[in-house]
Structures are given as structure tokens and as C-alpha cells.
Amino acid sequence: MTVTGEVGAWSARESGAPAVVAEGLTKVYGQGDTAVHALRGVDVSFATGAFTAIMGPSGSGKSTLMHCLAGLDTVSSGRVRIGDVELTGLGDKQLTLLRRERIGFIFQAFNLLPTLTAEQNILLPLEIAGRQADRVLFDRVVETVGLRDRLGHKPTELSGGQQQRVAVARALISKPQVIFADEPTGNLDSRSGAEVLSFLRSSVRELGQTIVMVTHDPVAASYADRVVFLRDGGLVSELERPTPQAVLDTLMKLEA
Amino acid sequence: MLRTTLAGLRAHRLRLLLTSLAIALGVGFIAGTFVLTDTIEAGFTQKFAAAGDRIDVAVFPDSGRRGEEEPSLPAAALEKVRGVDGLAEAQGLVRGTAALLGKDGKAAGDRPTSGISIPEGRLNRTVIAGGAAPRNGGEAVLDEGTAERHGFKVGDTIAVLDAKEVRHEFRLVGLVDLSLDQELVYTGAVGFTTGTAWSMTGAEGFHEIDALAAEGVGQEELRASVAAALGSGVTVKTGEAYAADMARANGADDDVITMGLLMFGLVAMFVAALVIYNTFNILVAQRTREMALLRCIGATRGQVFGSIVLESVVVGLLSSGLGLLLGYGLGAGALAVLSSLDVPLPAVTPSLAPRTIALGLVIGLAVTVGAALLPARSATRVAPIAALRTQVEERVFRTGAVRVVAAALFLVAGAGATVAALSMPVGQAALVVVMAGGSLVFFALLILGPVLVRPLSAFVGWVPRRLFGVPGRLATDNSRRNPKRSATTTVALTVGVTLMTLIAVLTGTLRVTYSAKLDEQFPVDYMVQPQDRGSELSRALAEDLRSRPELTSVVALRGAVAEVGGKGAEYEVGTFTASRDFRPSLESGSIDLLKPGTAVVANYVAEDLGVKVGDRVPVKTAEAGTVELTVVALFDPQRASLSGVTVPEAEFDRYFGQVGDSSIMVNARDGVAFDRARAAVDAAADPYPTAKVASSTEVRSEFDESLDMMLMIITGLLGLSVLISLLGIANTLSLSVHERTRESALLRALGLTRPQLRRMLSVEALILGLIGALVGVALGVVYAWAAARTMTTDVSFQVPVLQILAFVALSGLAGVVAAVLPARRAARASIVGSLASG
Ligand SMILES: Nc1ncnc2c1ncn2[C@@H]1O[C@H](COP(=O)(O)OP(=O)(O)OP(=O)(O)O)[C@@H](O)[C@H]1O
Ligand SMILES: [Mg+2]
């Protein structure tokens, strides 16, 4: 596959429907008196080829929303669609296959299997899916995240920033329809964080990747094309082309 | 600190239970052994005491000179005893041989039954289990076991051969319990009135005289006067001493069984110790942060150490208690099984002796705490700073110099001992040295385990890696990511598999070696022998066999013991009757040289007497005085079944008279079916009740059966150790699963399905099981070979390949089974919840 071919594959999505759509999403933990309404009727959609950030105070339901969107957790009511697939009602097996084929993940910590080298970790989703790695894409991704000379190392031999970059590379390599990232820079210093965020943004710009990222950091959010704000399990506001200052202002307003 | 420890224990009840079970099984086995043997012993002691109570004094003949017949007390001795002052009553007991005939008219059983007298009156010690004692010459009783084996019940008519093999019929009036007398249990017995017992057995005098003291006369007093009346040549005991002696002799038998069973119990405890050691090691590793936190907030090293030791004390006490209960159940169960198998056991309720309780608690506690000491020490090495590290560090294992040196020392010592033992003369000493060498090599493996795990898992994991894709590859990686942990887990299994393989190979080798020997010593299809090996078969039987067309090469052997060489040494002098084509294989010379005045001599006899071919030896015959015979040929008794000194047939008759045959060997004629040939031999033997027919197939299958039985029992007993090691695998795996919760969640998020995750853990367990089994098989085979070499010289070494493959396959399978629960737990865990944990 040529480089233009890949870009083509991604850009084809840009023109289509949103990558992820949620309608009337609610999530309740527990029952009766102790029930926690983590999500109360969220309607949101994420455009294909866009970088969206989810923000909100602690406990506002960001992680819960992301888990529900990614099929890691079941919803109490409402619907989630990834591409043309309706998630609600899918069994564990189908959800697993969906994650394998269409979704990439980057977590805040503990992203990598300690027994595998960086390269093996990057290729793991493809191997699980039984797909052949696209060497050209692999080289490009590795080049982009700057890990060429670290491929043979085990996670314990990498810095936190390097580990997160490996996770980014892993999320990119399978060309998923959408990448979900939960506070990917939460554990990194500002320089490493900025690096990782630049990679994420360039993968959206250059490869047409769709990314949904949960973050607490207004600076991180400013790398996104759009920010949506959650409070008490509901969508309360959003910003297009955010600047750190604008994000901070909105947050202040929310917490007030 | 105490509160923290207990809270921690309570929080992990399940894990605690699994760990306890390993120790509980070991303690349970040991306690069960004691419950079983204590109960049996108590029952017998009670019975002996009851039997001893019935008599005040017992008189026995001193054992006679070697080679003499069973010693007895002359009938006059009874009169002398009856004349003693202070005696109320005395009875003589008769014992000899009186062969019971089975319902088919042939002598019943492999050995002739004993014939005994059942005394009347107060002195009758025989427990009548049903019916009555014989009152006249037409009545008899049987012991319960014999009656059951041959299908006789009270009211039946039984036939018994007397000493001259004349058949007599009796009415069976009762059954007796003879379980106190091991000899009678072995032979079975027919009981008569005293007079009939004499006439049937041909015995003279008494086997024992029992006496009761008159009112007011003490046992010891009577004993002294009886001893004075009888003089030397007899042993006189009081009833009490008699009961105590019998109980002691029986107890010694029990001790052998107890020791044997305890060996297996100790192996089980050793395996349990490995499991506990591993569990505590993992727990300490997993709680590194917890320990560090405790240290941060001011706990001393001693307190951390104490908390782990305290945990092990609780586990130890709990599991020993559980083990004692288990042991009681096991003991009671074994008693129930034994009595349902009609093993004659006295009825006593099983009891947990205080000694058993103490021993169980001490062993359980000592093993648990002992195994936890090293992990507890490593817990004290946790630096407070470790609390601040986020990601749990992967322990990188490096092969230390100390480990290599220690392993090398053990290995060299073990291998050296083994090689040295192989060049020692065959015998017990060499075997012991080989076993010591084996143990040393095992410890070398134990030390070297973590180093060996990597290459072994690469080897064993080769197939799963290719067969199971990503789960297979991850499983192989996981199986060696913590070499120490994997090594200890697998070594526990290795112990059981090594011993099982050792036994399997040894029995296999024994089977083949024996089979080869059997072919040499029993080179015929059938052998006819008298039931009582000391008696003879009518010569007419061999003639009859010769006349049957289905049979061929009938060789009859007969012989008599005579002094040979003129220096008092006695050997069997015999002859054979056979057709011209009988050609026993000789070492030198030829059977054709056997003419009147000559003899063919076994090489050991020639060696003893210092004679060689051409020399003359004097033989003191019964009827022809001392004759001088020329040695014309020598033979190896292993290869030719002939009497030590073999003379021509006619000459033998001249020397010793009309002696009957001692054994007859017969072959089926070529082309005659097995059952037809057998029927012909049986038909010929039918008129002779004592003639027992054995076929080589029967002898072989009997031997095979007893070997199989032994193999089964030992394998079953070793199964306990294997079971414990499987608990260890399950435990290690579930702790590992716990530790890798987030990893599993990550894999699931990345698209690993639940079945794939389960398979990953199953394959890991499979690899661990196979590593343990392979090492065990290798060690077992090598040491079985070495052990066999020290047992006999000409072994035909035999590896029962199928059996060993089965061990390996079963170990792998068992590993997979052990992984079922941990794997299910891992697969069930919610991804979101697991990602958040830790
Ligand atoms: N498994 C659970 N059981 C019960 N309540 C839960 C569970 N998981 C989350 N919650 C609750 O749901 C609400 C939303 O939690 P969520 O983790 O989505 O918040 P968040 O926005 O990601 O917060 P943070 O920024 O701290 O990560 C919180 O009130 C939380 O306590
Ligand atoms: Mg969160």
C-alpha cells in the first residue's frame, strides 16, 4: 500500500457520517438509595477525522462516557453507534470483535504488556485480530512517534513518555475508526505531554484519524478541534477551536 | 500490627483456604495413617487381652534344631501339667496339616489348610463366629475366611485329606474366627475334636498346652510350678505375658505398615511445604507496596517479619486442624473399605489419639511456618520508598553465582554418588547410595530450577506458540516471566512425577526381567506339583500324562535330601523321567553321559564341595548305603530344572526306593489349542486331589497382577503429592491472575475474547504442568535405571513408554484443570473495573 493510498483510506471517512454517535445515554451504578447516576441522558456525536476533547470536573462522568462509547461498559439506556454499528444489544463476543476491528485505546497508565517489547506491544492488536502488519504504515508510525531505536526494549526500560508514545503507536497501527484516550498525558510532564499530544494531532491532520480524548488539562484540550464539557453526567457546553484560556474560562464557569 | 494481619487474612479467606488445603491434605494423610493403624492395633490388643484372659499359663515347645520338623510337646507333657498342684484344668492344642478339598474335589487353595484341635470347656480360646464347636469325630469347623473363599456354610459336608491323603468327610457345624493367629489366617484351618485332629494331621503331641489355675492360685505361681514340672525344652508363660507378647509381635507388623505409609505422608508434606513457600513468596511480592506503606508509617522490620510469620501461624493452625479432621475421616473411611473387603479386623471405633493430634499440629505448624520464614525475611527487605512507585516492578531474575555454585556442588555430589553406587556390588547398600545420589541431584534441580525454566518453557511452549496464536505466545511468555515462581510451582509436581515414573519403570523392568527368568525356569506350558510342596505325586500321574495325545515332552522330577560329599552337607539328590529327546542345557558335558555310577551336578553344589567333572563324590543313600558317584557334567540351576545331584532313574530307585514325583512338567503338543491341552492335564490330575496344575500363563498373569496391584497402590499413594502440587499450580495461577488483573483488562480492551483469555491461562498451566512432568520423567527414568542396576545383575531395562506418556499427558491435563477456576475468574472480570484497580 502506498502512502497516498492510506491517506485515501482515512480521508474517505471524513466525508461520511460521524464516527461515533450517542443518543440519550444514561448510566446508573447501583440501585435504590445508593444509585449513582453517572450519565443522565447524553446526546453527543464525534465527527470522523476530528480530534475531540471531553472535559469536566472530577466525577462528572467523563470516564464513564468514554467506556460506554467504546463498548467497554454497558449502558443503562440510550444508544451508541460506531460507524454503522449499533453497540447497544451486542454480546461480549461481538463487542470484543468490534473493539478489535474498529477501536484503539490509550489509557492514562498501564498501557503495555510488561512481557512484550515495544514493537510487540505496538503490533499486539493486529496479532490478536490475526491481521498482517502494514510495514509501510508501521515504519511511518514508528518514525512519527520517534521510537525507531527503542523497538526492542521492554516497557520497564522505557520512560513514561516513551511508554505513552508506544501506546499511541499501537492505537494508530490498526487504523481504527476511532481512538479513545483517557487522560493520556495525565502522568507525563508538560514536555512529554506536549509531544504525545502533537502526535495525536498530527495523526488527525495527516492520517485523518478520529480521536476522542478525556482530559483535565486545558492545554491538552487546546490541541483538539472541539471540546465538550460534562457536569453531573450531562453535556453542558462545548467549544470549537479551543484555546487554553477559553477552556479555562468555561471550566471556571462550570465549577462556579 | 496484629490487627492488620488478621484483617488481611480475613479479607482473603478464599486464598487462605486454598493454601491451607495443601497442608491439610498432608497432615490429613499422616493423621489418617495413625488413626488407621492405632485403631487396628487397639482392636487387636483388646482381642489378644481377651484371649489371654481365658488362660493362666501357656506352654510352648522351644523351637527345635534347624531343619527339624515343627517342634511339639509330647503327649506325656499334658499329663505332667495336669499333675501340677494348684491347677484347675489343662488342655493340649494340636496343630498340623489337613488339606480341605474344594467343591471340585481338588485340594482347596495354594497351600494345604492347617488342621487344629478345638478344645472343649473353659479353655476354648477359639471364638466361634457361627454354629458350634465340633463335639465328635464326624464334626468339624472352618475358619470364616476359608469357608467364604470356597463357598462352604454351616450344615454342609466337607471333605478333608488326612496325612496319608485319604479322604474323610465331616459335617461342618461351625465357623471360627482365627484372625489372631497370622499363620492360620495365611493357611486357613479346619478344626476338629482333639482326637480327630491327631488322626487327621498325623501330628504327635501338642503344639501348645493351656492351663487354668485353681481358685486362689496366681498366674505366676502356677507358671513356676508348671515350669518346674516340665523342666527344660519348653517355654512357659503366664496368660498376661502371652497376650502382651502377641500384641507386641502384631504391633511390630503394624509399625512396618505405619512407616511405609508415613513415607508417602512425608513426601506429601514436602510438596506442601514447596506450595506454601511459593504462596507466601508471591503474597509478599504482591504486597510490596502494602509492606512499604507500613514501613513508611513507622513499622519496624521486625514487625513486618512478625506479621508474615503470624499469618503463617494462623494458616498452619487452621490447616492442621482441618487436616486432623480429614485424617479422622480418611482413617475411618479406610477402615470401612477394609472391612467391606472382608479383611479380618476387630470392630473398634476409630479414634484420634492425643499423640496423633499433637503430631498433626506440630508437623502442620512447623512446615507452614518453616516454609514462610524465607518469604518473611524477604518482606523485611522492602524499602519504604517502594510505596511510592506506581507500577509494580517486574522482578528481573539473574542467575546468581551462589546459586550456580550450590547447584554445581549438589549435582557433582549426587552424580558422583550415583556413579560410585553403580560400580558397587549389587545389593541394598548400593541401592541406598543411588537413592541418596538421586536426592542430591533433585536438590541441585531445585536450586537450579529458575535457570532451567526459561529453556524448558521455550521447549515445551514450542507447540502451543504455534497452535494457539497470540494466547499461546503470551502464555509462554507469562510462564517464564517469573522463573523462581514457576520453578517452585513445577518442582512440586516434579516430586510426585519423579517417584511415579521411578516406580513405573522399576515395575516394568521387574516384569520383563522376571519374565525372562520365568522363561528359563519355567520353560514349559504346564507344571503339576503337589499342593504341599514337601509331599509327593503318584508316579501313575506322569504315566497318564504321557499317554495323552494332546500333550508332549512330559518330564517328571523326583528327589530326596541326602548327605553328599561326606562332610555333613545335605543336598537334593534326584532324578527325572523323560523321553529320549529331553535335553536339559548343561554347562559342560552331556546328559548322555549319565550312566549308573555317575551324577550330573549343579555348579553351586560342585563349588560347595570343591569337585569338578571327573571327580568322585560320596552320597549317603537311604537304601544302598554310601555310594561313590563320578561327576560327568555340570549345569546352572537357573537354566535347567534338575536336582542338585542328578542320577539315572533306575539308580535313584535303588538308592532311595519308590519315591513319588515332586513335580511334572508338560508341554502342549504343537497345534493343540490351549484349552484342550489344559483339559487333558486337568483330566489326568483329577484323580489326585493334591495335584495342582499351573500353567506358565497363569503364573505370569499372577505375577503381573500382583505387580499391577503394587503399582496401583503406590501410584495412588503418590497421587496425594501430585494433588497437592496441583493445588499449588492453581494457587500460583490465581495469585498471578490477581496480579495481572489490569493486564488482562488491557488485553480484553484490545480485542482478546473471553475464551482467548481463558485459553491463555490454560496454556500457561499446561506449560507449567508439562515442565514439571518432563523433569520428573527424566529424573525418574535415570534413577530407575540406576536403582535396577543395583538390584540385580542381569536386568532387562524396560521403560513403559505408554505409561510415562500418560503421566506427562495427565500432568499437562491436570495443570489445565487446575487453571479452570482462575481462568474463569479472569475472564469474568469487568474490563472497566479491572482497569481502574491496582
Ligand atoms: N463502578 C462504579 N460504581 C459506582 N459508582 C461509580 C462507578 N464508577 C464510577 N462511579 C461514579 O460515577 C460517577 C462518574 O465517574 P467517572 O469515573 O466517570 O468520573 P470522571 O469524570 O472520569 O472523574 P475523574 O475526572 O475523577 O476521572 C462518579 O460519581 C463515580 O463515583
Ligand atoms: Mg476518569
Side-chain angles (χ1 to χ4, degrees), chain A residues 27-30 34-39 54-67 73 108 182-183 214-216 230 232-233, chain B residues 830 832-833 836:
Chain A
K27 175 76 189 178
V28 184
Y29 289 112
T34 58
V36 177
H37 292 266
L39 296 176
I54 304 177
M55 297 200 77
S58 188
S60 57
K62 304 182 295 294
S63 296
T64 307
L65 175 62
M66 204 197 84
H67 292 149
D73 209 347
Q108 179 177 355
D182 194 350
E183 301 185 41
V214 170
T215 182
H216 276 290
L230 276 181
D232 296 335
Chain B
S830 108
V832 175

Side-chain angles (χ1 to χ4, degrees), chain B residues 17 136 267 290 347 421 433 457 471 487 585 648 660 784:
Chain B
L17 195 73
N136 56 53
V267 171
E290 198 180 307
V433 175
S457 82
S585 82

Side-chain angles (χ1 to χ4, degrees), chain B residues 38-55:
Chain B
D38 281 356
T39 308
I40 293 178
E41 219 173 292
F44 273 115
T45 308
Q46 200 173 315
K47 266 185 142 181
F48 288 130
D53 272 354
R54 293 190 177 219
I55 55 175

Side-chain angles (χ1 to χ4, degrees), chain B residues 324-336:
Chain B
L324 287 174
L325 287 182
L326 202 69
Y328 184 78
L330 275 177
L335 280 173

Side-chain angles (χ1 to χ4, degrees), chain B residues 760-824:
Chain B
M760 181 179 97
L761 289 164
S762 305
V763 171
E764 184 176 348
L766 176 78
I767 291 174
L768 290 182
L770 288 181
I771 291 179
L774 283 183
V775 176
V777 163
L779 204 60
V781 168
V782 170
Y783 275 89
W785 173 79
R789 279 280 307 273
T790 65
M791 285 180 183
T792 53
T793 39
D794 49 346
V795 285
S796 330
F797 185 63
Q798 181 76 14
V799 178
V801 177
L802 277 182
Q803 213 165 340
I804 285 177
L805 284 182
F807 285 160
V808 175
L810 283 177
S811 305
L813 193 73
V816 173
V817 171
V820 166
L821 281 181
R824 267 174 57 149

